[in-house]
Amino acid sequence: MMSGVATMLFLLATRGRVPSYLGCSLSFVGVAAVIRAQGGGSAAVTGAILVVGAALLLSGLAVRRFGARIIHTAMPPVVTGAVVMLIGFNLAPVTAGTYWPADQWTALLTMLVTGAAVVCLRGFWSRVAIFLGLLFGYAVSWLFDRVFGRIHSVDGSGKLTDHWRLDLSKVSSADWIGLPSLHAPSFEWSAVLVALPVVIALIAENAGHVKAVGEMIGDPLDDQLGTAIAADGAATVLSTAVGGPATTTYSENIGVMAATRVYSTAAYWAAACFALLFGLCPKFGAVVAAVPGGVLGGITVILYGMIGLLGAQIWVHNKVDLRNPLNLVPVAAGVVIGVGGVDLKISENFELSGIALGTIVVLVGYHALRALAPAHLKPQPPLLDEGTSGYDDQRPE
């Protein structure tokens, strides 16, 4: 429901110049998983993401006032790439320890079919390959239940027990029409610090999305960058204030736009209305919530790795020289800290670890070393990197 509302808000804020549909960026998956692992509930997750949305809103207003240079001076491509990378790879233990063990054979088959779909399909179907893999996993789980019966593995709560791979009991009991459950956010410093680094990734993503859409429609949208970032932030604040997820532009939807060549904002208004209607159908939500753990294991092996490698895409596109020790040292330290879950205990009730600590090391380390480094190690970075998206304007096969 809030995805539809957020899209409407975005289209109004950009006055229909930037066709886009808003959903929950993959960048938030990592922080939500980490907060959950630390014992945080849904309120703590939405509270942390609300703070991210507020920071994104302020960043967008700053870009509107001072231009894109202020963002890219503080967060050059070497920094944004490293943050995106550690956010993605920090998720590897979630797949290995939670999803994959739920049903390893379904996970393996889902991974193989999803990977083949991503590589082999063309046009629109290649853009929805992850969704096709999800449908395949659903079918395999249903078939395995009929052929082999219950599986003895960890269930959704993490307990080792006999259970059905595909449990649709909550679908049958769900109502066709009803309001989604709403809750107020809560604010915990530990959760907020884990989530804040996502702002860097989101700014990089949004810059790429605005440039990519501008190239597709033949209308340079650089003047809309600040507005788009601010609209993403405002939409996220609105959504999380009632217990919804983050709502931002993201590459999958931009990719579908490139494949279908549908750039009409009227189409995105229609999509927003459909999302709003689906949000008022608890039965549809129950179907989504019933995704088997093994299916998630097969998909997230690819998906989480893709998130991490988007960071490498930023480096390659912007010709970041990792032979330069000014780039290499903070990135090497920050990525290992973020991926390995290294922690720094500051007091009995406060510690930094994983994504938060890794981002601080990359960001502060880069600028501190840049201030001390000799002149020949400090080339000027590009003014505006393209974030994590790049799409050509060729017709899909």
Side-chain angles (χ1 to χ4, degrees), residues 208-262:
H209 299 164
V210 170
K211 292 187 71 174
V213 172
E215 291 173 3
M216 291 178 202
I217 65 178
D219 179 15
L221 296 173
D222 290 349
D223 61 313
Q224 291 293 307
L225 178 58
T227 301
I229 294 174
D232 275 7
T236 295
V237 169
L238 176 63
S239 176
T240 52
V242 296
T247 48
T248 62
T249 60
Y250 60 112
S251 55
E252 284 79 0
N253 286 341
I254 306 298
V256 171
M257 189 189 307
T260 61
R261 304 178 70 83
V262 175

Side-chain angles (χ1 to χ4, degrees), residues 28-294:
F28 287 100
V29 177
V31 299
V34 171
I35 294 171
R36 285 286 192 182
Q38 293 177 348
S42 297
V45 172
T46 51
I49 296 176
L50 189 151
V51 175
V52 171
L56 192 62
L57 171 59
L58 295 176
S59 299
L61 296 177
V63 171
R64 288 191 60 181
R65 175 66 179 83
F66 302 105
R69 185 178 298 275
I70 184 175
I71 295 294
H72 295 277
T73 298
M75 294 176 293
V78 63
V79 172
T80 56
V83 173
V84 172
M85 178 172 287
L86 66 88
I87 286 173
F89 291 156
N90 181 264
L91 293 166
V94 177
T95 294
T98 302
Y99 297 143
W100 191 278
D103 185 358
Q104 61 177 1
W105 293 111
T106 297
L108 178 63
L109 290 173
T110 303
M111 179 193 72
L112 294 175
V113 170
T114 303
V118 170
V119 174
C120 300
L121 296 181
R122 294 291 182 269
F124 170 78
W125 296 110
S126 69
R127 300 299 184 186
V128 294
I130 299 295
F131 178 67
L132 296 178
L134 180 70
L135 294 180
F136 172 82
Y138 251 96
V140 168
S141 297
W142 178 86
L143 179 63
F144 280 6
D145 280 343
R146 298 298 176 275
V147 175
F148 302 112
R150 294 173 183 262
I151 186 174
H152 184 72
S153 68
V154 292
D155 60 10
S157 63
K159 296 180 180 179
L160 188 63
T161 182
D162 292 326
H163 61 96
W164 296 111
R165 296 168 181 83
L166 180 59
D167 183 4
L168 297 177
S169 59
K170 293 184 179 180
V171 176
S172 58
S173 62
D175 296 327
W176 280 102
I177 300 175
L179 287 172
S181 58
L182 307 178
H183 67 261
S186 67
F187 302 97
E188 301 176 9
W189 275 111
S190 58
V192 170
L193 287 173
V194 168
L196 273 177
V198 175
V199 174
I200 298 175
L202 294 176
I203 292 172
E205 285 181 346
N206 210 301
H209 299 164
V210 170
K211 292 187 71 174
V213 172
E215 291 173 3
M216 291 178 202
I217 65 178
D219 179 15
L221 296 173
D222 290 349
D223 61 313
Q224 291 293 307
L225 178 58
T227 301
I229 294 174
D232 275 7
T236 295
V237 169
L238 176 63
S239 176
T240 52
V242 296
T247 48
T248 62
T249 60
Y250 60 112
S251 55
E252 284 79 0
N253 286 341
I254 306 298
V256 171
M257 189 189 307
T260 61
R261 304 178 70 83
V262 175
Y263 311 131
S264 169
T265 52
Y268 294 94
W269 273 103
C273 292
F274 278 114
L276 186 61
L277 292 176
F278 278 128
L280 298 175
C281 179
K283 194 172 288 292
F284 178 79
V287 171
V288 176
V291 178

Side-chain angles (χ1 to χ4, degrees), residues 34 37-38 86-87 89-93 194 332-345 351-359:
V34 171
Q38 293 177 348
L86 66 88
I87 286 173
F89 291 156
N90 181 264
L91 293 166
V194 168
V335 169
V336 168
I337 287 172
V339 173
V342 176
D343 57 54
L344 180 65
K345 192 168 186 178
E351 69 176 30
L352 291 170
S353 63
I355 295 173
L357 182 58
T359 299

